[in-house]
Amino acid sequence: MSIVIPTFNESANVAELLRRIDATMGSQGWEAVFVDDDSPDGTAAAVRAIACIDQRVRCVQRIGRRGLSSACIEGMLASAAPVIAVMDADLQHDESILPTMLARIDQGADVVVATRYAQGGSTGEWDASRKSMSLWATRMSRLILKQPVSDPMSGFFMLRRDVLEGCVHELSAMGFKILLDLLASSRRELRIAELPYVFRDRFAGESKLDSMVVWEYGMLLLDKTIGRFVPVRFLMFSLIGGLGVFVHMAVLTAALKGFGLDFTVAQTVATLLSMVFNFALNNTLTYRDRRLAGWAWLRGLASFVVACGVGAVANIGISTWLYEHDTRWVLAAIAGILIGAVWNYAVTQLYTWGKKRR
Ligand SMILES: Nc1nc2c(ncn2[C@@H]2O[C@H](COP(=O)(O)OP(=O)(O)O)[C@@H](O)[C@H]2O)c(=O)[nH]1
Ligand SMILES: [Mg+2]
């Protein structure tokens, strides 16, 4: 069995987690694959220090990437074990149930979910708002699930390798909810076993969960529903582009009426500011998993402005051509906007957010 452990700033938890897994698993064969997103606290180095003396331990270190789901997928793919478990590094997941989970797999289950929402399970010390948020998310997940599961949001589960291989190309790999992604992507009926446990308090360090998980969860739900037809990132990109029009008009009005600027100057300022707005929002929302910071943010902004500048020229060129060839002005404009949007999306995806981040 391979235990995949995604980490971000968990250096103080690594040794204790491995000690407990070792104590619990005894002589049963296991290995641990840590997937660390280049944590500034040196988690990867802490894992490798142990890996030097314990061959069951390995570390995949990802550079310039963030994301719990994609980390879990890459960790699972980095192992050849017939059974894969996924658990957090902060000791909130009760490792003592690992042998029972493995036994369920041996008895024929495809997936074993360690659940907080069944008899004997609990979310431990959560406050009311966190509890209600988790319940709300669990209810929403039924939109995309084919089979009922009491805790599809669980980050603690075990599966057979063939379950992963059967759906790995369909995974959205967005956000925090890898189990939900796996269950919703699997095309065949799965034998799912559930095992209750009590969610513990963090051992050391702090939670990486912030308000953005709601956004990421929304992206996952959208991708699993309409993602087959339109890429969710393109939708987000276009939505933000639409908001940019409002920013543009507000700045233009202020520049014309408030500062009495010449129209061309005002229009240029409005265009530039709405580009900055679009870039910043896309960087935090659409490309959250590849977000740029520091100098990379400025470089990204520059490439974004250049790409969108070319997109604007294409937009004007194509709509003018259509207009001159007897297309109604509204249709000519929409065609120009669509082509400009697709260009901006495709090019910035490749050059602004596709490059190395440092
Ligand atoms: N590789 C990787 N691991 C992450 C990321 N975000 C969180 N994690 C890890 O995922 C696990 C769960 O995260 P945590 O912050 O404890 O979430 P919470 O338990 O819901 O508060 C922990 O082991 C984190 O270190 C990420 O962006 N990349
Ligand atoms: Mg945690």
Side-chain angles (χ1 to χ4, degrees), residues 5-10 35-37 62 65-68 71 87-90 92 126 130 176-177 199 202 206-209:
I5 305 156
T7 57
F8 192 76
N9 285 347
E10 305 284 3
V35 187
D36 183 63
D37 285 351
R62 306 197 303 171
R65 308 263 307 278
R66 277 298 301 274
L68 183 50
M87 74 189 292
D88 290 356
D90 55 7
Q92 291 194 281
W126 271 5
R130 175 103 197 235
F176 257 64
K177 299 304 171 194
F199 198 66
R202 239 179 190 280
E206 50 196 50
S207 172
K208 278 95 223 169
L209 219 78

Side-chain angles (χ1 to χ4, degrees), residues 285-320:
L285 299 177
T286 317
Y287 293 104
R288 200 173 154 62
D289 53 340
R290 306 179 213 166
R291 55 188 176 271
L292 308 167
W295 285 111
W297 193 92
L298 277 181
R299 270 202 306 272
L301 175 63
S303 70
F304 186 84
V305 169
V306 172
C308 295
V310 178
V313 173
N315 171 350
I316 293 167
I318 285 158
S319 52
T320 308

Side-chain angles (χ1 to χ4, degrees), residues 3-330:
I3 308 170
V4 173
I5 305 156
T7 57
F8 192 76
N9 285 347
E10 305 284 3
S11 62
N13 293 319
V14 170
E16 177 63 17
L17 175 68
L18 286 169
R19 193 188 64 70
R20 293 199 199 177
I21 291 175
D22 190 35
T24 241
M25 291 302 295
S27 60
Q28 300 193 62
W30 62 275
E31 64 169 4
V33 180
F34 286 82
V35 187
D36 183 63
D37 285 351
D38 208 16
S39 305
D41 79 340
T43 305
V47 173
R48 281 194 289 265
I50 299 174
C52 284
I53 43 172
D54 188 337
Q55 289 187 355
R56 298 172 298 185
V57 178
R58 278 185 294 140
C59 180
V60 176
Q61 184 177 359
R62 306 197 303 171
I63 313 284
R65 308 263 307 278
R66 277 298 301 274
L68 183 50
S69 283
S70 60
C72 293
I73 296 165
E74 284 163 43
M76 294 192 267
L77 291 172
S79 104
V83 179
I84 306 161
V86 172
M87 74 189 292
D88 290 356
D90 55 7
L91 298 145
Q92 291 194 281
H93 294 159
D94 182 358
E95 72 293 329
S96 70
I97 67 169
L98 282 169
T100 321
M101 290 168 86
L102 190 56
R104 293 288 155 83
I105 296 269
D106 287 340
Q107 288 155 11
D110 293 313
V111 181
V112 185
V113 181
T115 171
R116 299 161 289 188
Y117 302 122
Q119 199 70 40
S122 124
T123 48
E125 308 278 297
W126 271 5
D127 59 30
S129 75
R130 175 103 197 235
K131 258 187 202 147
S132 70
M133 220 171 87
S134 182
L135 272 177
W136 173 84
T138 304
R139 267 190 220 121
M140 292 291 292
S141 72
R142 295 195 186 123
L143 290 174
I144 58 169
L145 279 178
K146 296 157 200 130
Q147 291 164 269
V149 188
S150 71
D151 194 0
M153 319 302 282
S154 177
F156 188 18
F157 58 92
M158 194 179 280
L159 45 75
R160 282 178 202 283
R161 160 146 242 109
D162 53 277
V163 175
L164 171 73
E165 283 171 2
C167 66
V168 69
H169 295 103
E170 267 67 52
L171 294 173
S172 298
M174 289 173 177
F176 257 64
K177 299 304 171 194
I178 177 62
L179 174 65
L180 179 60
D181 198 354
L182 282 161
L183 296 178
S185 304
S186 185
R187 269 183 252 131
R188 71 177 167 91
E189 185 102 358
L190 297 170
R191 281 158 300 189
I192 302 173
E194 300 193 276
L195 209 62
Y197 80 104
V198 177
F199 198 66
R200 291 190 298 225
D201 276 345
R202 239 179 190 280
F203 184 69
E206 50 196 50
S207 172
K208 278 95 223 169
L209 219 78
D210 56 22
S211 53
M212 293 311 295
V213 297
V214 178
W215 173 268
E216 289 184 315
Y217 186 53
M219 294 246 295
L220 174 64
L221 290 183
L222 271 181
D223 191 53
K224 280 279 163 287
T225 44
I226 56 170
R228 252 171 297 158
F229 311 109
V230 205
V232 180
R233 286 195 213 257
F234 179 65
L235 280 183
M236 299 298 159
F237 192 87
S238 307
L239 197 76
I240 291 169
L243 289 178
V245 175
F246 288 98
V247 173
H248 184 110
M249 295 318 269
V251 175
L252 185 64
T253 313
L256 282 176
K257 310 272 184 234
F259 295 90
L261 293 181
D262 177 61
F263 179 80
T264 313
V265 178
Q267 174 75 349
T268 310
V269 171
T271 304
L272 281 175
L273 280 182
S274 56
M275 277 180 175
V276 174
F277 167 84
N278 268 283
F279 169 74
L281 224 56
N282 276 309
N283 190 52
T284 6
L285 299 177
T286 317
Y287 293 104
R288 200 173 154 62
D289 53 340
R290 306 179 213 166
R291 55 188 176 271
L292 308 167
W295 285 111
W297 193 92
L298 277 181
R299 270 202 306 272
L301 175 63
S303 70
F304 186 84
V305 169
V306 172
C308 295
V310 178
V313 173
N315 171 350
I316 293 167
I318 285 158
S319 52
T320 308
W321 188 87
L322 285 173
Y323 181 69
E324 284 168 355
H325 287 76
D326 297 330
T327 309
R328 295 214 358 232
W329 66 271
V330 183

